[in-house]
């Protein structure tokens, strides 16, 4: 008996451009959405992470001065029953890491992060430049 060769392309390739559009993006994308905002005083990075807790995140600055955002979550639902064996067991594992190159005007000592309503928010305050005073005494010759 000869093994049967099967391919997963049950949809003709002509339809690839139809399904891979902005209206219908690929479904295998796993990276969370990131927003970056800038104001006069700070940059704000927002990372969508529904269902994640603050313990699931690790935010730090590496030796090169880049911001590293790591997210890892393990969820396991167990149905405990001493008289039966498992027929179904659900679990999920999520891991994400993003490196952001910080602008030169970020005050790296004052960076703060918080998690609220499924969104990680990282505040990147800008360095405050002291403006030179223009007023001075002028000597009369």
């Amino acid at each position: 008996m000869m093994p049967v060769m099967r391919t997963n392309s049950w949809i003709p390739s002509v339809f690839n451009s139809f399904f891979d559009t902005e209206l219908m993006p690929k479904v295998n994308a796993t990276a969370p959405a990131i927003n970056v905002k800038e104001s006069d005083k700070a940059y704000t990075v927002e990372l969508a992470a529904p269902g994640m807790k603050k313990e699931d995140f690790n935010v730090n600055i590496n030796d090169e001065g880049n911001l590293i955002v790591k997210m890892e979550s393990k969820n396991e639902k167990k149905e405990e029953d001493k008289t039966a064996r498992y027929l179904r067991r659900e679990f999920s594992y999520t891991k994400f890491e993003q490196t952001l190159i910080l602008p030169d005007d970020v005050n790296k000592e004052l960076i703060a992060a918080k998690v609220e309503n499924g969104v990680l928010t990282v505040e990147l305050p800008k360095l405050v430049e002291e403006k030179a005073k223009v007023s001075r005494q002028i000597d009369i010759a």
Side-chain angles (χ1 to χ4, degrees):
M1 180 186 289
M2 295 285 293
V4 177
M5 298 289 287
R6 294 185 186 199
T7 61
N8 291 334
S9 59
W10 57 275
I11 297 177
S13 61
V14 119
F15 291 105
N16 287 346
S17 62
F18 174 75
F19 288 112
D20 188 18
T21 64
E22 288 181 10
L23 297 174
M24 197 176 241
K26 290 183 179 179
V27 292
N28 61 353
T30 58
I34 295 179
N35 295 331
V36 180
K37 298 187 293 188
E38 180 182 10
S39 69
D40 293 337
K41 297 182 179 184
Y43 299 96
T44 304
V45 176
E46 298 171 326
L47 185 134
M52 303 294 266
K53 303 176 295 271
K54 75 177 194 174
E55 296 83 21
D56 298 331
F57 292 97
N58 182 355
V59 180
N60 62 54
I61 297 177
N62 66 7
D63 295 338
E64 298 162 2
N66 299 325
L67 182 71
I68 310 294
V69 178
K70 295 180 183 179
M71 176 176 75
E72 185 173 5
S73 175
K74 298 176 186 176
N75 295 323
E76 190 170 325
K77 295 181 181 178
K78 297 180 181 178
E79 298 172 11
E80 295 291 334
D81 186 357
K82 302 292 182 191
T83 62
R85 60 188 172 103
Y86 287 107
L87 295 178
R88 178 179 171 177
R89 197 170 181 184
E90 294 181 1
F91 61 91
S92 68
Y93 180 78
T94 303
K95 185 173 184 177
F96 169 77
E97 181 174 335
Q98 179 72 46
T99 301
L100 301 171
I101 299 171
L102 296 177
D104 293 334
D105 62 344
V106 170
N107 187 342
K108 295 178 176 130
E109 300 297 321
L110 297 178
I111 294 174
K114 67 178 180 177
V115 176
E116 189 174 325
N117 297 328
V119 177
L120 170 70
T121 304
V122 182
E123 290 291 331
L124 308 165
K126 292 182 178 180
L127 290 169
V128 178
E129 294 182 23
E130 292 185 23
K131 295 182 180 179
K133 295 180 181 176
V134 179
S135 63
R136 63 182 175 96
Q137 180 63 35
I138 299 174
D139 293 330
I140 301 174

